[in-house]
Amino acid sequence: MEEENYEQNNQVALKIGLIGDSQIGKTSLMVKYVEGSFDEDYIQTLGVNFMDKKIQIRNTIITFSIWDLGGQKEFINMLPLVSNDAVAILFMFDLTRKSTLNSIKEWYRQVRGFNKTAIPFLVGTKYDHFIDLSFQDQIEITQQAKKFGNAMKAPIIFCSTSHSINVQKIFKIILSKAFDLKLNLDEIINVGEPILIFK
Amino acid sequence: MKLNSTKPLPYDNSNNQIYNNPFITTSTRNDDEINNPPNKRSKFCTSTTTTSLASLFNKQNRHKLRRRINSISTNLSYYKFPKQDEFNFNSQPNFASSSTRSSTPSSNSNSDLESLPDLTDDDELTPENTPIKKLPTINFQYLELPTLKPPKFQLHKPRQREISSKISIFEVPEILHKIISFVDEQNSNLPTESTPIRRKPLNYNHAMLIHGDAEIAQRATEEIQEQLQPVYSNPLFNCLLVNKLFFKITSDIISKKFYFSNEENLVKFINYQGPKTTSFQPKIFILHKLFQTRQYLFDKCIHYISFKQLEWFELYMCPKLFPSIEIFKQAGSNLKKLIITGSKTIDDNFLISISLHCKNIEVLDLRACEYISDFSIYQISKHLKNLKIINFGRKNKGHLISDASIIKLINCCKGLNTIGLAGCNVTDKTVFEIAIKLPDIERLSLNNCPRLTDHCLSIFTNPNTIHCFLKLKVLEFRYNSQLDNLQHLIEFKKRQEYKNKIYLLIELCEDLMAKYRAQEQELDNIISMKIFNDIMVYINDDNDGDSNYIDLLNR
Ligand SMILES: Nc1nc2c(ncn2[C@@H]2O[C@H](COP(=O)(O)OP(=O)(O)OP(=O)(O)O)[C@@H](O)[C@H]2O)c(=O)[nH]1
Ligand SMILES: [Mg+2]
């Protein structure tokens, strides 16, 4: 290479916010993505957590700074910390609890008050439990999620943190959206499958 | 009160000048005849709060020290995140605003906290989460307690020691000396050239290229006109008038510093001198911008002065004055600082004889002294081993100073940290020599050096000189339109920042600055392309660590 050996790496930093009701798996997703581990036990997030994940690709270092807001309503006053300056916001819900999907509307409204430019994502969690629901429920939830995703103009992703399904893909899609880069990944659109709609 | 008016004063105070009076302006004159010295400061980057790609280094290092999950209450204050619109690949932060940028990354998060709207009020649904506490009823009963007596505050008279004569600190000579010395340190405004943080832009376009922001550029351009000539004053003259002791001590302190920036006052000083007056033994001798002052006045004036303690001799733009060698014989090895600028009188012989008497000179500023040439510079390098700052910048007769003497000087004076060679005839060789011989070099001015070529720029990034210029903070290349490949400077500036934590200040004239910005843009585009390519590879790598959902469904 013609580059001198002292040349520093190029750095990119992205702030990602995780938003959604309590106990849907926000902290779990963050820890899984950053550390690769999953914990069955629930520890309520009091306030805000954040973690950094660094990825080195050749001479580029990407740093995801992931901010996770506790889902209890009392922490809403910390929402600006999570949403300000974020490049992407993951609006998350529990695929087995419809109420958490319905809350997304209000979360979205609140976040937009602080950050109008962040790329929104609609992320359904606990896909591993979702497949145990009745097919009718699965249809209903999937259709509702698609409706929300379209309204938000957001990619829709179903994931399972415990079974490592679509976890990495969430962040790859974030990169492709943030830098407007083409992603050669197939979408998954059928009910019962872990939905992956991003085009 | 008695005032011995025949005592020597640095200048006459009979016109009772008001200090810092904005209405008193001395006539300004353009300094352009001489080139300013590159005595400029550059900032160290203590912490990086910018959002550009490369500046993330610090932030990440901090993170290593941090615990796994960062709880907001303890760690938030360190943190600052990029605004999305700043999310470009401009790996070169805009240093023009570096002075305004807060160095504490916490400021942003703090202001976030302060500006938090209180959303909890909207949340009627969860009263159980945020129960409204009952306000305690506060009784200020104790105020009404009738039994409580008002405290008896007895004002004790300060007990005075039974000393018949009360001695005020202003009567103790030692203390008074300290006090007046302090006043002197605090307020004395020596008529010296102030060193700018960076040079004024030449015009609005130039400012725009430097700062890249219309508002800042406008301000920087306006500052050109707003520059007021500072009023050089000495508050000690008020101290002279207090009493005898004050007078004695103050005149003692005043006599250590001899400076005039006004011929009229100098004449008054000379006329006040009588046979009885004690002579000055200044450590500092400065004549500032006495453009027309004649030699006979100067000779008269130095007649009353002993230079035995002289450490700093300065004739700043007093073109007609020739300081006799006698002064420097007296000063001898005490002299540390010799500044003679714009002189039409001093020549090679003068400089050589000074170097024989004053071997401890550290600062040698001979800007626009056009009769100084290679010949004397070569000679003095044998004697002045302690030189730290040299400046031979000039507008005319640049051909008289070349590699021949400068390289010799560089090799003899390894402690040099500031070199001004504006308008000189030096070549790339000199730059190379500076690189490898002067580890302490901090400021380098090579404005208007027509013989420099692109080759000298490559020295800054050459892998073989990677351990050179580690302390360089200011680099001036104005009026060198022959230079083209400024990528070396761009790269060097980045290196200084990442490796050595120095915000290098590079001074360029308008056309070079335009070139610099264009090449910087090019470089940024290349970097962006690289980053995009890298990310493309990453996101399209099938083997991403996720499991296949089919396995889960087939369970
Ligand atoms: N089976 C399964 N369990 C999950 C998954 N993700 C999270 N969980 C569990 O769901 C529970 C809640 O997860 P958390 O990540 O703590 O939830 P949270 O959204 O951070 O909750 P708050 O901090 O209160 O906002 C934990 O017991 C997790 O183990 C998943 O994908 N599959
Ligand atoms: Mg949590």
Side-chain angles (χ1 to χ4, degrees):
Chain A
M1 280 191 53
E2 21 94 19
E3 282 160 11
E4 291 86 340
N5 53 357
Y6 59 80
E7 210 202 6
Q8 60 285 329
N9 288 309
N10 301 313
Q11 308 257 344
V12 188
L14 298 96
K15 177 177 173 179
I16 314 291
L18 307 187
I19 302 290
D21 283 358
S22 191
Q23 290 204 46
I24 55 169
K26 297 181 295 295
T27 306
S28 301
L29 180 75
M30 174 175 78
V31 171
K32 172 75 183 178
Y33 182 63
V34 175
E35 304 209 314
S37 59
F38 174 76
D39 190 351
E40 288 283 338
D41 298 331
Y42 166 60
I43 301 166
Q44 193 192 343
T45 301
L46 301 171
V48 176
N49 288 326
F50 61 85
M51 289 177 95
D52 277 4
K53 165 87 169 178
K54 259 203 250 183
I55 300 162
Q56 170 121 29
I57 318 153
R58 298 198 253 181
N59 275 329
T60 301
I61 295 175
I62 299 169
T63 306
F64 283 109
S65 292
I66 306 174
W67 292 61
D68 158 35
L69 177 68
Q72 296 286 352
K73 286 277 185 281
E74 66 219 71
F75 303 124
I76 189 113
N77 60 352
M78 293 194 181
L79 181 60
L81 296 175
V82 173
S83 51
N84 280 355
D85 304 330
V87 173
I89 303 270
L90 307 190
F91 293 94
M92 299 173 58
F93 66 99
D94 184 337
L95 284 166
T96 62
R97 280 192 286 153
K98 274 184 227 162
S99 65
T100 63
L101 176 56
N102 289 328
S103 301
I104 295 291
K105 212 169 150 185
E106 180 58 15
W107 284 117
Y108 185 80
R109 196 184 69 83
Q110 297 270 17
V111 168
R112 276 303 184 228
F114 297 109
N115 187 332
K116 300 207 165 34
T117 51
I119 308 162
F121 282 74
L122 184 60
V123 176
T125 61
K126 305 187 190 177
Y127 171 74
D128 53 302
H129 285 169
F130 174 76
I131 54 178
D132 296 335
L133 298 183
S134 75
F135 193 63
Q136 194 51 45
D137 280 344
Q138 292 187 20
I139 293 177
E140 205 177 304
I141 288 170
T142 307
Q143 279 177 346
Q144 183 78 343
K146 284 181 180 170
K147 213 177 89 189
F148 272 54
N150 284 338
M152 293 158 65
K153 297 202 176 60
I156 307 160
I157 303 162
F158 290 4
C159 70
S160 166
T161 301
S162 55
H163 289 72
S164 303
I165 289 170
N166 287 350
V167 173
Q168 299 291 327
K169 294 197 179 61
I170 294 172
F171 292 88
K172 291 192 165 188
I173 296 172
I174 291 174
L175 285 173
S176 87
K177 291 287 169 194
F179 300 115
D180 202 15
L181 298 172
K182 192 173 169 334
L183 188 57
N184 303 321
L185 186 69
D186 291 330
E187 293 200 313
I188 303 173
I189 53 171
N190 297 325
V191 174
E193 293 178 329
I195 298 292
L196 210 52
I197 298 176
F198 54 89
K199 284 178 177 160
Chain B
M1 183 175 48
K2 281 185 182 170
L3 184 67
N4 181 2
S5 61
T6 59
K7 274 267 182 181
L9 300 179
Y11 81 85
D12 171 48
N13 64 328
S14 58
N15 46 4
N16 227 348
Q17 193 174 4
I18 302 162
Y19 306 122
N20 297 323
N21 185 335
F23 300 105
I24 297 177
T25 50
T26 7
S27 68
T28 46
R29 218 175 116 166
N30 208 347
D31 288 17
D32 265 356
E33 301 166 32
I34 63 162
N35 308 290
N36 293 322
N39 290 339
K40 283 182 272 172
R41 279 157 278 138
S42 172
K43 284 177 194 292
F44 280 88
C45 21
T46 47
S47 69
T48 315
T49 63
T50 55
T51 57
S52 64
L53 305 172
S55 61
L56 292 157
F57 261 134
N58 280 358
K59 200 188 281 175
Q60 274 141 16
N61 288 340
R62 267 203 305 271
H63 272 260
K64 285 188 192 143
L65 304 171
R66 217 174 287 160
R67 291 179 46 205
R68 243 168 39 104
I69 299 185
N70 310 276
S71 165
I72 199 65
S73 53
T74 53
N75 288 313
L76 197 75
S77 54
Y78 301 135
Y79 231 89
K80 189 211 180 246
F81 270 97
K83 291 210 174 68
Q84 203 200 8
D85 55 348
E86 290 174 334
F87 215 82
N88 55 26
F89 291 109
N90 207 339
S91 46
Q92 164 99 32
N94 184 4
F95 294 115
S97 60
S98 65
S99 54
T100 55
R101 192 187 296 136
S102 160
S103 60
T104 50
S106 60
S107 57
N108 212 43
S109 339
N110 285 346
S111 64
D112 280 348
L113 284 167
E114 280 154 20
S115 61
L116 279 188
D118 189 359
L119 296 177
T120 44
D121 287 350
D122 306 339
D123 248 341
E124 291 151 40
L125 295 174
T126 58
E128 68 277 6
N129 284 338
T130 53
I132 296 167
K133 284 186 191 148
K134 219 182 125 198
L135 277 175
T137 39
I138 300 166
N139 288 326
F140 297 99
Q141 264 185 347
Y142 62 93
L143 283 180
E144 293 151 21
L145 286 178
T147 51
L148 204 71
K149 282 180 190 164
K152 283 179 190 164
F153 289 114
Q154 284 214 328
L155 283 175
H156 293 280
K157 280 187 182 171
R159 254 181 243 144
Q160 287 179 352
R161 296 233 183 93
E162 299 300 311
I163 296 173
S164 51
S165 61
K166 289 175 281 175
I167 293 185
S168 135
I169 54 166
F170 296 108
E171 290 167 34
V172 182
E174 288 80 2
I175 297 177
L176 190 61
H177 193 276
K178 285 238 157 81
I179 293 171
I180 298 176
S181 300
F182 185 75
V183 172
D184 182 42
E185 292 296 316
Q186 287 259 296
N187 299 300
S188 286
N189 197 353
L190 293 177
T192 53
E193 179 187 23
S194 62
T195 47
I197 298 224
R198 77 171 300 149
R199 287 193 194 281
K200 296 278 170 305
L202 302 164
N203 54 43
Y204 179 74
N205 268 349
H206 190 207
M208 203 48 202
L209 281 167
I210 293 171
H211 300 290
D213 177 292
E215 204 179 301
I216 299 171
Q218 188 63 43
R219 226 183 306 133
T221 321
E222 276 162 7
E223 275 169 17
I224 301 172
Q225 284 108 41
E226 278 176 17
Q227 276 290 305
L228 265 179
Q229 181 82 356
V231 179
Y232 301 118
S233 62
N234 194 338
L236 290 189
F237 291 116
N238 285 341
C239 298
L240 281 172
L241 304 173
V242 177
N243 60 33
K244 264 190 178 167
L245 186 66
F246 265 71
F247 180 84
K248 191 168 167 295
I249 290 172
T250 307
S251 52
D252 189 45
I253 289 170
I254 285 180
S255 71
K256 294 255 183 316
K257 297 177 183 173
F258 183 97
Y259 55 93
F260 285 96
S261 54
N262 179 323
E263 178 170 338
E264 215 178 300
N265 289 333
L266 181 65
V267 172
K268 282 180 190 162
F269 164 77
I270 291 166
N271 292 339
Y272 273 124
Q273 298 301 313
K276 278 190 291 175
T277 51
T278 49
S279 79
F280 261 67
Q281 289 213 355
K283 289 185 173 169
I284 298 174
F285 180 97
I286 299 173
L287 295 184
H288 191 80
K289 294 191 182 174
L290 304 185
F291 300 108
Q292 302 303 332
T293 302
R294 299 286 173 81
Q295 184 66 27
Y296 77 91
L297 266 179
F298 180 78
D299 289 341
K300 260 190 181 174
C301 137
I302 63 169
H303 179 72
Y304 300 106
I305 301 173
S306 153
F307 291 98
K308 287 203 179 82
Q309 300 194 23
L310 193 66
E311 291 172 9
W312 171 354
F313 182 88
E314 176 165 348
L315 290 183
Y316 186 86
M317 300 187 49
C318 306
K320 298 183 177 169
L321 303 183
F322 178 79
S324 86
I325 299 297
E326 191 52 39
I327 296 173
F328 302 98
K329 266 188 193 157
Q330 284 183 33
S333 53
N334 283 330
L335 194 72
K336 292 263 164 61
K337 202 165 173 179
L338 178 62
I339 301 174
I340 300 177
T341 66
S343 168
K344 300 256 183 269
T345 63
I346 65 166
D347 58 9
D348 285 336
N349 288 333
F350 171 83
L351 184 56
I352 291 169
S353 27
I354 284 187
S355 75
L356 296 175
H357 297 297
C358 309
K359 305 211 170 185
N360 287 332
I361 293 177
E362 291 174 7
V363 179
L364 183 62
D365 184 354
L366 300 176
R367 278 169 294 161
C369 294
E370 291 160 4
Y371 298 113
I372 299 291
S373 79
D374 274 343
F375 179 66
S376 59
I377 295 174
Y378 191 92
Q379 296 295 323
I380 63 167
S381 51
K382 293 176 193 159
H383 307 296
L384 305 181
K385 303 283 184 197
N386 293 338
L387 283 177
K388 294 203 164 62
I389 296 176
I390 54 166
N391 201 337
F392 300 116
R394 49 184 60 200
K395 282 266 154 73
N396 301 311
K397 303 234 169 74
H399 64 277
L400 292 179
I401 295 183
S402 71
D403 292 348
S405 66
I406 298 299
I407 290 180
K408 167 83 175 160
L409 193 68
I410 290 166
N411 279 286
C412 289
C413 309
K414 296 278 167 61
L416 280 169
N417 63 45
T418 300
I419 296 181
L421 296 171
C424 293
N425 206 31
V426 293
T427 71
D428 302 337
K429 270 193 212 155
T430 286
V431 182
F432 184 73
E433 214 59 30
I434 291 172
I436 59 173
K437 298 283 168 56
L438 300 179
D440 291 332
I441 190 77
E442 288 179 14
R443 290 175 276 252
L444 182 55
S445 167
L446 296 167
N447 294 331
N448 190 23
C449 293
R451 295 194 56 194
L452 295 179
T453 71
D454 276 359
H455 178 69
C456 84
L457 299 179
S458 69
I459 294 170
F460 289 92
T461 53
N462 189 317
N464 295 326
T465 55
I466 191 85
H467 301 298
C468 305
F469 296 122
L470 294 183
K471 297 182 182 171
L472 196 66
K473 295 177 196 166
V474 180
L475 183 55
E476 300 203 50
F477 273 114
R478 285 179 157 204
Y479 311 111
N480 287 313
S481 300
Q482 76 277 14
L483 301 179
D484 265 319
N485 196 350
L486 303 178
Q487 296 217 355
H488 294 293
L489 292 184
I490 296 165
E491 212 178 294
F492 176 64
K493 184 174 163 71
K494 279 188 199 161
R495 190 180 90 199
Q496 256 343 47
E497 198 191 327
Y498 303 132
K499 300 265 164 173
N500 303 327
K501 303 283 178 256
I502 294 174
Y503 280 118
L504 177 71
L505 175 62
I506 300 178
E507 290 281 8
L508 300 170
C509 52
E510 191 179 342
D511 59 339
L512 278 183
M513 200 66 208
K515 265 189 222 173
Y516 183 93
R517 288 295 183 223
Q519 293 182 15
E520 193 177 46
Q521 186 63 49
E522 246 171 65
L523 221 72
D524 279 352
N525 289 344
I526 292 170
I527 291 174
S528 306
M529 283 318 295
K530 278 187 190 163
I531 291 176
F532 284 148
N533 282 337
D534 288 351
I535 294 178
M536 272 298 264
V537 169
Y538 174 71
I539 61 177
N540 285 310
D541 180 359
D542 288 337
N543 183 12
D544 57 12
D546 279 345
S547 307
N548 191 337
Y549 70 94
I550 308 289
D551 300 342
L552 180 65
L553 290 176
N554 293 342
R555 234 181 356 184

